[in-house]
Amino acid sequence: PMTDEERAFLNDLLAGTHKQFMDDIMAVRKGRLKKDITELAQGQIFHGYEARELGLMDDVGSLWQAGRKIHE
């Protein structure tokens, strides 16, 4: 069993990680997101086309295509 202190530590750790995740997304996608980041960062899974529609990514493609795009 987890102590109250351990549970509080883990809750704080998860909350901090979640905030950092949202801050990182906002740093690179701000102005392109179609919904508020707090709605998008709740642990749900988006398929590629849905993520593109929400502004979470620019395009759908393969790993090879992504590598080629980096070197353009």
Side-chain angles (χ1 to χ4, degrees):
M2 200 180 306
T3 66
D4 289 342
E5 185 177 280
E6 291 168 331
R7 185 176 313 280
F9 171 79
L10 286 177
N11 282 334
D12 287 346
L13 180 66
L14 288 173
T17 302
H18 188 241
K19 182 178 179 341
Q20 180 182 352
F21 174 72
M22 291 191 300
D23 290 346
D24 289 346
I25 292 171
M26 289 302 295
V28 296
R29 303 304 301 178
K30 188 175 184 174
R32 294 184 251 179
L33 297 176
K34 307 295 189 234
K35 291 185 177 180
D36 188 84
I37 187 62
T38 56
E39 279 186 67
L40 296 171
Q42 293 299 312
Q44 63 272 57
I45 298 170
F46 302 108
H47 58 73
Y49 297 113
E50 187 178 18
R52 183 178 64 192
E53 288 298 313
L54 292 168
L56 291 167
M57 57 189 235
D58 294 324
D59 209 351
V60 178
S62 68
L63 181 59
W64 183 82
Q65 289 169 317
R68 296 278 304 170
K69 192 130 185 122
I70 290 171
H71 294 289
E72 287 180 352

